Amino acid sequence: MEREIKVRLEEIVTLLNDTEETVMDKEIKEKLEKALMLLNDPKEREGKREDLDARLSQVLGLVNNAMVDPDIEIEYCIPDVDSTASSCDIHIDPYILVTYVIGDYNKPTRKIRLRDTALRRNTPESIANQVNFSIMEFKGEIDSVQMG
C-alpha cells in the first residue's frame, strides 16, 4: 500500500515539474485526494494487505507443489508471508529468488518479482503458472548457454 501512495505522490510531482503540460488545479486536487484517502483509511489498507498476503501464500503453495526439479533452489523474500532468503530487501516488491545449481561454483540466479498490480489482477493459479513458466524459461536459457 505504501508503494501505491508513493506512486500517487510521484504522479503529482511529475505533473508539477512538467514544463510542457498545463497542469489543472482540479487534476492535482484529485490525485492528492486519492493519496490522502489511502493514508486516512487504515482499515481499508489493512484489509487489502491481508488479502494480498493470502494471495501470496496461495501462490507460494502452488509454486512449491509444482516445482520438483532437484537442480532448482527456490528462496522466497516476501515480508509478512514467507522469507527463506538469507537477506531480503524489504523496500522492493516481494520476489522469488531462483538458483539453478549446475556445479559447486556455477549457480546462476534470477529474481522473479511479484508486483502488486499482477497480484491484484490475476488469480493465484495464474500467477503460479507464470512463475513456473519463468523458472522453466530461466533453466532453458542456462542450459542453452551451457550446451553451446
Side-chain angles (χ1 to χ4, degrees), residues 90-140:
I90 60 170
H91 299 293
I92 60 173
D93 291 321
Y95 62 88
I96 296 173
L97 184 65
V98 180
T99 304
Y100 183 17
V101 181
I102 299 170
D104 290 340
Y105 302 106
N106 192 359
K107 298 178 183 180
T109 61
R110 177 174 287 172
K111 281 184 185 177
I112 301 172
R113 298 198 187 283
L114 303 171
R115 304 217 188 266
D116 284 349
T117 51
L119 291 168
R120 286 182 180 31
R121 291 181 184 167
N122 299 323
T123 64
E125 292 81 10
S126 172
I127 296 166
N129 287 339
Q130 291 171 0
V131 168
N132 288 329
F133 177 76
S134 295
I135 292 170
M136 290 297 112
E137 188 177 60
F138 169 62
K139 185 176 178 189

Side-chain angles (χ1 to χ4, degrees), residues 38-93:
L38 289 170
L39 283 170
N40 291 330
D41 195 358
K43 287 183 182 177
E44 182 180 337
R45 285 191 318 178
E46 187 61 33
K48 286 184 179 181
R49 183 80 231 161
E50 288 173 0
D51 181 49
L52 190 62
D53 290 348
R55 286 174 158 269
L56 282 167
S57 294
Q58 286 179 324
V59 169
L60 296 184
L62 291 167
V63 169
N64 278 336
N65 289 341
M67 285 308 304
V68 291
D69 192 331
D71 296 331
I72 299 289
E73 292 178 359
I74 299 176
E75 295 181 277
Y76 303 105
C77 191
I78 302 171
D80 301 328
V81 177
D82 190 10
S83 290
T84 58
S86 57
S87 64
C88 286
D89 186 359
I90 60 170
H91 299 293
I92 60 173
D93 291 321

